[in-house]
Amino acid sequence: MIDQRVLPVSFEYLACDSAASVAQAIHDMVVRGAPAIGVAAAYGVALEAMRLHDMPTENFSKDLESGFTILAQSRPTAVNLFWALERMRRVWSSVVKQEQAFVAQHLLAEAHEILAEDIRINRIIGEYGAALLPDEARVLTHCNAGALATAGHGTALGIIRSAHEAGKRISVIADETRPFLQGARLTAWEMMQERIPVTLITDSMAGFMMSHGEIDAVIVGADRVASNGDVANKIGTYMVAVLARRHNIPFYVACPLSTIDMTLPTGDGIPIEERPDSEVKGYNGMHWVPEGVAIRNPAFDVTPAELVTALVTERGVVYQPDKKRLHALWPSTLR
Ligand code: MRU
C-alpha cells in the first residue's frame, strides 16, 4: 500500500503479508480514510488466510480468528472496517468446510471484489454529486476523502473529479486539517496531480472565506453515519458545517452505504478515536508547545443531521437525512 504518512514529500509503498502487518499499517495511518481502511482490512484477512493455508485445521481457524480480532482493534471510528470484516466473515462461513487453500482463494477474491466495488460506487457517487454543483463552483473540503482514502476516485473528491471530468469549472479550497494535515498533505497533492485548481487554507480561515463569498459548496466524506443522519468525520468537520449553515452554503456529505451504521440511533453512540499527544505537539518530531501542557486529540467529531444539506450515496442523494430516508436506501428484502 502507498505509505500516506510520507506523502507528499516522498512516494513509497509498504508491503504487508499478514493480518497483523495490515492492522499495524491501519493503526499507524499508513493507510487511512474509511473506505480504504475497509478495503485494507479485507486484504488483511485474505493475506492471513494465504499465510496460514497449510496449517493444521484447528490452528488455521484459531489463527484466522485472531487475525479478525487484531484487525478489528486497529481503529475504532470508521465503520467500513467492521463492515468489511463482517463481509469477509460471511464468505469464510460459506466455505468453511472446504480445503484451506480454497478458503484463502475465496477470501482473496472477495477482497478484490470489495476493492472493485468501492471504485464503482465512488464513480456513481461522483455522478450524483457532480449534478448538484453549478457549472462553476468553489468547493471547500475538509480532510482527505479522495482516491487515497478509498480504493480509487474518492467520495468527496470523487464528486469533484467527476464534475471536473464533466467539464465543470471546479476549484477546491482545501482545509489543512490539523493536526494530521490530511488536507495539506493529501488533498492538495491529489488535486495537483490531476491539475484541478486547489487553494490551501488553514482550518481557521474557513469562516473568512465563507463570509467573503468565496465558497459555493462544502463537500466532505464520512467515517460513520448514524441511522438518524448524524455524521462522524474528521475533527473540524462540525465547525465547517456550523459555518456553512451560518452562511447559507450547502453542506454535502459523500458516503457509500458501507459508511452508514443503521445499528446506531444517533451519532452519540459513535466511538471517537483519541490519538496521541505528539500529533498536536508538533509535526514530524518537531515540537512547538510548552513541555508538560495538557493536550486533547479527538480525531473525529459528529455533525448533527440537521446541519447536513444532503448525503450523496450510490443509491442517490438524500436531502435532510433522517431515519426514515436512510432506511429507504436499502431494498426491503435486505432490511
Ligand atoms: O483519520 P483519517 O485520516 O482516517 O480520517 C479520514 C476522514 O475523516 C475522511 O474524511 C473519511 O474517512 C472519509 S474518506 C472517503
Side-chain angles (χ1 to χ4, degrees):
M1 51 180 78
I2 297 169
D3 188 343
Q4 300 192 32
R5 297 169 303 180
V6 296
L7 276 172
V9 175
S10 60
F11 189 97
E12 292 169 23
Y13 285 99
L14 184 97
C16 295
D17 59 1
S18 63
S21 59
V22 172
Q24 192 67 49
I26 294 173
H27 176 268
D28 295 347
M29 309 277 278
V30 172
V31 59
R32 33 65 50 203
I37 292 172
V39 173
Y43 277 103
V45 170
L47 286 168
E48 191 65 5
M50 289 160 75
R51 195 176 73 84
L52 300 171
H53 83 272
D54 51 8
M55 288 212 158
T57 313
E58 325 80 70
N59 296 33
F60 178 80
S61 298
K62 192 163 76 49
D63 290 0
L64 190 55
E65 194 57 61
S66 311
F68 274 91
T69 306
I70 192 169
L71 284 160
Q73 289 165 348
S74 58
R75 288 190 78 189
T77 304
V79 74
N80 307 60
L81 171 72
F82 307 99
W83 170 89
L85 290 176
E86 187 49 42
R87 189 160 153 176
M88 296 301 278
R89 184 177 288 285
R90 279 201 301 274
V91 168
W92 184 19
S93 303
S94 72
V95 290
V96 74
K97 300 223 164 68
Q98 310 286 330
E99 298 260 311
Q100 286 162 197
F102 180 85
V103 172
Q105 279 313 312
H106 232 68
L107 290 171
L108 181 62
E110 188 67 7
H112 289 330
E113 178 50 28
I114 290 175
L115 179 134
E117 193 180 285
D118 189 54
I119 298 173
R120 285 198 299 273
I121 286 172
N122 289 337
R123 287 242 160 229
I124 299 170
I125 290 175
E127 297 268 306
Y128 279 124
L132 299 172
L133 296 175
D135 282 343
E136 191 164 349
R138 297 154 301 174
V139 180
L140 181 134
T141 190
H142 190 74
C143 194
N144 170 266
L148 289 165
T150 61
H153 199 62
T155 56
L157 294 190
I159 292 177
I160 287 159
R161 280 195 167 91
S162 294
H164 179 77
E165 281 167 17
K168 294 191 175 185
R169 286 189 301 282
I170 305 295
S171 57
V172 175
I173 318 303
D175 279 350
E176 70 174 349
T177 319
R178 281 270 297 144
F180 209 72
L181 304 177
Q182 288 92 334
R185 296 187 302 106
L186 309 176
T187 295
W189 180 79
E190 268 196 41
M191 294 293 91
M192 289 179 79
Q193 294 293 304
E194 305 211 4
R195 299 186 192 286
I196 297 175
V198 58
T199 302
L200 182 63
I201 60 170
T202 68
D203 303 337
S204 50
M205 294 171 190
F208 174 93
M209 300 293 285
M210 289 186 191
S211 67
H212 283 73
E214 294 187 42
I215 311 284
D216 301 305
V218 176
I219 311 179
V220 296
D223 289 85
R224 195 185 294 226
V225 177
S227 67
N228 69 341
D230 289 349
V231 173
N233 190 47
K234 181 51 54 197
I235 191 77
T237 302
Y238 172 47
M239 212 161 65
V240 175
V242 171
L243 281 169
R245 175 59 54 89
R246 170 74 176 83
H247 295 285
N248 226 354
I249 295 167
F251 179 87
Y252 298 118
V253 177
C255 67
L257 264 58
S258 54
T259 302
I260 303 177
D261 183 350
M262 292 302 279
T263 68
L264 293 181
T266 73
D268 291 346
I270 299 175
I272 301 293
E273 178 183 14
E274 288 267 347
R275 293 193 53 83
D277 290 2
S278 54
E279 292 177 358
V280 177
K281 278 185 182 165
Y283 191 73
N284 235 354
M286 180 188 155
H287 291 168
W288 50 65
V289 300
E291 211 35 60
V293 67
I295 288 173
R296 285 288 311 278
N297 189 12
F300 301 93
D301 58 27
V302 176
T303 299
E306 60 171 298
L307 296 177
V308 176
T309 307
L311 295 181
V312 187
T313 77
E314 68 270 35
R315 298 240 167 92
V317 179
V318 185
Y319 285 96
Q320 296 178 329
D322 62 13
K323 190 163 190 131
K324 193 159 153 259
R325 295 188 180 113
L326 289 195
H327 215 249
L329 287 171
W330 279 269
S332 51
T333 48
L334 292 179
R335 273 180 220 153

